[in-house]
Amino acid sequence: MGAGKTKRMPRAVREQQMLDAAVRVFGRRGYMAASMDEIAELAGVSKPLVYLYLNSKDDLFTACIRREARALTEAVRAGVRPGLSADGQLWSGLRAFFTHTARDPDAWRVLHLHARTHGERFAAEVAAMREEIVAFVTQLIAAAARDAHRDPHLPEREVAGLAEALVGAAESLADWAGATEGVTARQAAATLMNFAWAGLGDLMAGRPWSEPEDAGPELPAQAAG
Amino acid sequence: MGAGKTKRMPRAVREQQMLDAAVRVFGRRGYMAASMDEIAELAGVSKPLVYLYLNSKDDLFTACIRREARALTEAVRAGVRPGLSADGQLWSGLRAFFTHTARDPDAWRVLHLHARTHGERFAAEVAAMREEIVAFVTQLIAAAARDAHRDPHLPEREVAGLAEALVGAAESLADWAGATEGVTARQAAATLMNFAWAGLGDLMAGRPWSEPEDAGPELPAQAAG
């Protein structure tokens, strides 16, 4: 931004190299243990240049979170192709999500582990990304439900809850796939489809789950609503 | 522990009062903003007594996490009654979970938000609780799948993934229910049953979700597995 005309491209390129290196180091070591020396060395630049361009360890970490949050959100949006059936959309979106998190496990660790472990400021950056993804998934579920039956049986709040459940399940499975040897992106996506689709699918077709007869005594109305 | 015979009961009781107050204050203010003055005042004791009994703000926070993690795990275990059908067990366990998190939102915020936002040491305490709950849910799903069809079609890894998905969805919905006016524990549990049960149920009956024909081109085998 502040650099002169002839320097603009090299600076932008170098900044991306610094961010690449920072995501690697933050992802593997965590925020506290990550050293600016290691980041500079991995980026092939001097440490003062990292400070000149990105100001502080805090600002560098924030820049990593923002860049990776945008990349993940864009990967998911690009993965969901509007022409597909509802389960085709979900399947392609989930594969895009798990492929992205599997390809760059350091970036996923920055977003879903380290950014939430080092203070409210970083956590708020990730919360904003999560809200955007939940809103996107909410729209998809609402559209699929409308298509499935003209009479919109699914109240808005129920759709919002389903989107939260889906996003929470996907986050949890991405952590698990990253920590479990040999689980591929495709398997993680298929597990979530197995878990979720027939449930969502039945619901959209107007066949909600119904309470089993042996479910035991009611909880008090006040607590259970 | 170290106190004399006649002091043992009062100390244990007072410690619980201090922890009650600390969970309130940590839950509402977060770890950094919580003050030991406010905790002592709310507990009705002097600040030096809090330090005498619980040593430091760090140790007090750790004691809160441990107590609340145990309470949550026990509530879920107690909620799942072994005599029920598989969906009856899931429904009763989920109601127990959401009732517990709705009754004590400060405790849930300590466990699921603040404990993970202030350093690896606290995060590790919560991770241990989560692993225990995932292991418990894994056992339940495996047992239900065995009951549903003698031939165990569900590989161990798939069951572990389903348990991760279920726990992640439940965590996400508990946050959402806590932040959304008027969502009851029962509604949150029913949303998760709607989302998950028919999916899990079909799977256990040997009817997995199958890929739609319009799902688009394959991802490269290396990335997608």
Side-chain angles (χ1 to χ4, degrees), chain B residues 54-72:
Chain B
L54 288 147
N55 196 42
S56 67
K57 189 176 178 182
D58 260 38
D59 285 356
L60 178 59
F61 192 49
T62 304
C64 289
I65 295 170
R66 287 192 184 155
R67 189 182 78 166
E68 297 308 330
R70 201 179 313 120
L72 178 60

Side-chain angles (χ1 to χ4, degrees), chain B residues 136-159:
Chain B
F136 177 62
V137 173
T138 303
Q139 283 173 6
L140 288 180
I141 296 178
R146 268 198 311 277
D147 288 355
H149 51 116
R150 293 304 192 96
D151 180 22
H153 275 306
L154 275 183
E156 208 172 297
R157 171 164 294 176
E158 178 80 0
V159 172

Side-chain angles (χ1 to χ4, degrees), chain A residues 29-32 81 83-85 87-88 91-92 95-96 99 102-103 112-114 116-120 123 130 157-158 160-162 164-169 171-173 176 180-187 190-200 202-203 207-212 214-220 223-225, chain B residues 29-32 81 83-85 87-88 91-92 95-96 99 102-103 112-114 116-120 123 130 157-158 160-162 164-169 171-173 176 180-187 190-200 202-203 207-212 214-220 223-225:
Chain A
R29 310 232 184 276
Y31 177 73
M32 301 299 274
R81 275 156 293 172
L84 301 182
S85 61
D87 66 329
W91 172 234
S92 65
R95 277 194 301 163
T99 300
R103 271 188 193 148
H112 196 241
L113 179 62
H114 303 310
R116 310 203 299 185
T117 316
H118 295 286
E120 274 107 9
R130 192 182 196 275
R157 172 164 292 176
E158 178 79 0
L162 293 168
E164 290 282 350
L166 181 63
V167 170
E171 289 171 332
S172 181
L173 277 171
W176 172 75
T180 309
E181 193 67 42
V183 173
T184 63
R186 190 186 184 83
Q187 284 164 354
T191 294
L192 189 43
M193 288 303 290
N194 271 330
F195 176 65
W197 178 253
L200 276 176
D202 276 0
L203 194 59
R207 293 188 300 269
W209 170 83
S210 61
E211 196 169 333
D214 65 355
E218 277 307 293
L219 296 177
Chain B
R29 310 234 183 275
Y31 177 74
M32 302 299 273
R81 276 156 292 172
L84 301 181
S85 62
D87 66 330
W91 172 234
S92 65
R95 276 194 301 162
T99 300
R103 273 189 193 148
H112 196 240
L113 179 62
H114 304 309
R116 310 203 299 187
T117 317
H118 296 286
E120 275 107 7
R130 193 182 195 277
R157 171 164 294 176
E158 178 80 0
L162 293 169
E164 290 282 350
L166 180 61
V167 170
E171 289 171 332
S172 181
L173 278 172
W176 171 76
T180 309
E181 194 67 41
V183 174
T184 63
R186 190 186 185 83
Q187 283 164 354
T191 294
L192 189 42
M193 288 303 291
N194 270 332
F195 177 65
W197 178 253
L200 275 176
D202 275 0
L203 196 59
R207 294 189 299 269
W209 169 83
S210 63
E211 197 171 330
D214 66 354
E218 276 309 294
L219 296 177

Side-chain angles (χ1 to χ4, degrees), chain A residues 3-4 30 44 46 63 77 87 96 104 107-108 110 127 133 143 146 170 176-177 187 189 198 203-204 206 218 222 225:
Chain A
S46 70
R77 283 187 183 277
D87 66 329
D104 199 344
W108 177 245
V110 164
I133 291 184
R146 270 198 307 277
W176 172 75
Q187 284 164 354
L203 194 59
M204 284 174 190
E218 277 307 293
Q222 243 79 346

